[in-house]
Amino acid sequence: MPRRTATMLASTLMLIALLCAGVFITVPYSELSPGPTVNTLGDHGGEPVLQISGRKTYATTGHLNMTTVRVTSADYKMNLVEAVYGWLSHDNKVVPHDTLYPDGKTEEQSTQENAEEFSQSQESAKVAALDKLGVPVQSWVIVATVVKGSPSEGVLHAGDVIKAVDGTAVKVPTDVAKLVTKHKAGEKVVFTIVPAAEQAAAEKANRAATKARDITITTTRSDDENAERAIVGISAGTDHTFPFTIDIKLADVGGPSAGLMFALGIYDKLTPGSLTGGKFVAGTGTIDDDGVVGPIGGIEMKTVGARDKGAQYFLTPADNCAAAASDTPDGLTLVKVGTIGDALNALKDIRSGDTGDLPKCSTK
């Protein structure tokens, strides 16, 4: 066999071997890609995303799209060829598997966590929108979760309203931890609570809950780096009673990042005129009860997904601006927002066409 032919054959066989190895060798990475984007002012799955009853609503135009990111499942084994393709792809992003599923978290655990964050983001979106409209919302501190095997298991329950700790009234969730950690591990702490069932019955009957009771719990040591800290094994959260019904219907979506766009959609439906002036606006960002917008993950994927759907403007959390601006899709204007008020001001400029002073994102 001529030397040249032999060399070409050997090279071909080596290339085939490398490709086969790349297919069968798995790597500890996961992939993010642009996910669906949904207009919060429109329909999804045959029904309106935002359904409001008990309050006058107004017709809307344009788009206020929330955006998502697709991720590979926890048990997906990425091979070397896929990883290299993802690294080279402009629209996808390859990240260490532990970034998405830390500490061996299963897909079921991740899905449950995302569902809880999604539910909380909806509540905060409603509160933030109504607060901006001057509509009062009743709020109270509740037991959000109870840690299995903790002193609170079987004693406190998710949804219980925490009225006081050691006789001191509780106004915000952080008050609970502050009052509990005044104790040493092994000491007793007294929770004044309204059981979740009583609270639910009171809300249904449109009356104030009255069946508060004291429950004594013995604290234990924290198992984190601050082992001297006393805990009872709960996390506190906030629940609300709204003066009318706001339902958000959007299946197969998780996480807190749609909060800002839900809040804007609610605000738009409850006010005359159109926030967008018919423009296609997309965006992302967490939101808290005070209307503060927080950063999210996968910003580069979300801007790509939004632009592919036709978005002209993208409302971007301030802390995500630099990353988003480093690779902005052509034709998309990134608008920096830190609060729902910032977003409303930006939308005013967008619908008027006076966009010269929009707070645009930069890489600095």
Side-chain angles (χ1 to χ4, degrees):
M1 181 182 298
R3 180 177 296 178
R4 182 176 180 182
T5 302
T7 301
M8 291 179 64
L9 178 59
S11 299
T12 301
L13 291 174
M14 183 174 291
L15 178 60
I16 292 173
L18 289 172
L19 288 174
C20 289
V23 169
F24 290 107
I25 294 174
T26 59
V27 291
Y29 289 94
S30 297
E31 185 176 70
L32 290 76
S33 58
T37 174
V38 178
N39 187 8
T40 62
L41 303 176
D43 293 350
H44 184 70
E47 60 181 346
V49 174
L50 299 176
Q51 301 179 19
I52 301 174
S53 58
R55 181 88 171 192
K56 183 178 180 179
T57 58
Y58 300 86
T60 60
T61 61
H63 289 71
L64 285 171
N65 278 45
M66 54 82 67
T67 50
T68 64
V69 174
R70 285 194 179 95
V71 298
T72 49
S73 63
D75 57 359
Y76 181 75
K77 303 298 184 183
M78 178 178 287
N79 64 46
L80 185 58
V81 172
E82 291 171 321
V84 172
Y85 179 82
W87 280 318
L88 296 175
S89 173
H90 180 266
D91 292 346
N92 298 338
K93 185 176 183 180
V94 174
V95 298
H97 184 274
D98 289 346
T99 301
L100 301 178
Y101 304 101
D103 302 324
K105 184 185 296 182
T106 66
E107 188 167 359
E108 290 74 18
Q109 290 172 324
S110 181
T111 298
Q112 177 61 32
E113 183 178 293
N114 284 337
E116 292 172 357
E117 290 177 339
F118 186 61
S119 178
Q120 182 57 52
S121 76
Q122 294 180 45
E123 293 296 292
S124 293
K126 297 172 189 177
V127 175
L130 296 189
D131 179 69
K132 206 65 183 173
L133 290 165
V135 177
V137 175
Q138 288 185 308
S139 302
W140 52 86
V141 178
I142 63 166
V143 176
T145 59
V146 179
V147 177
K148 187 175 182 180
S150 72
S152 293
E153 184 180 15
V155 182
L156 296 178
H157 303 87
D160 288 347
V161 177
I162 305 172
K163 305 291 287 186
V165 176
D166 290 331
T168 301
V170 168
K171 296 181 180 180
V172 293
T174 52
D175 288 345
V176 177
K178 289 178 182 178
L179 292 167
V180 169
T181 53
K182 286 183 177 180
H183 291 269
K184 295 180 179 179
E187 293 183 346
K188 297 184 183 299
V189 59
V190 179
F191 279 75
T192 303
I193 65 123
V194 174
E198 160 62 15
Q199 181 63 34
E203 290 181 38
K204 187 174 182 179
N206 195 26
R207 61 173 174 81
T210 57
K211 296 182 180 179
R213 62 181 183 181
D214 290 340
I215 293 178
T216 301
I217 302 173
T218 302
T219 63
T220 189
R221 293 182 186 277
S222 168
D223 59 2
D224 61 17
E225 66 279 358
N226 187 0
E228 297 302 314
R229 184 167 61 91
I231 62 170
V232 295
I234 67 166
S235 63
T238 307
D239 203 358
H240 311 90
T241 294
F242 298 98
F244 49 89
T245 302
I246 305 173
D247 285 329
I248 300 176
K249 305 288 187 181
L250 195 59
D252 302 323
V253 176
S257 65
L260 170 63
M261 303 313 291
F262 283 145
L264 294 173
I266 293 167
Y267 187 98
D268 199 358
K269 284 181 172 286
L270 292 173
T271 53
S274 168
L275 279 184
T276 68
K279 303 291 197 308
F280 194 138
V281 180
T284 189
T286 65
I287 200 165
D288 65 16
D289 290 2
D290 296 322
V292 176
V293 176
I296 52 81
I299 186 66
E300 301 95 331
M301 304 298 100
K302 292 184 175 184
T303 55
V304 169
R307 184 56 187 156
D308 286 348
K309 281 293 184 178
Q312 302 159 285
Y313 300 92
F314 193 92
L315 303 179
T316 311
D319 288 342
N320 290 127
C321 260
S326 66
D327 192 16
T328 308
D330 291 340
L332 188 67
T333 298
L334 303 181
V335 183
K336 180 179 178 180
V337 296
T339 66
I340 187 174
D342 292 342
L344 291 171
N345 288 335
L347 287 168
K348 180 180 179 181
D349 291 339
I350 289 170
R351 68 174 175 269
S352 70
D354 185 16
T355 58
D357 292 329
L358 279 176
K360 298 175 183 177
C361 290
S362 71
T363 55
K364 298 179 180 179

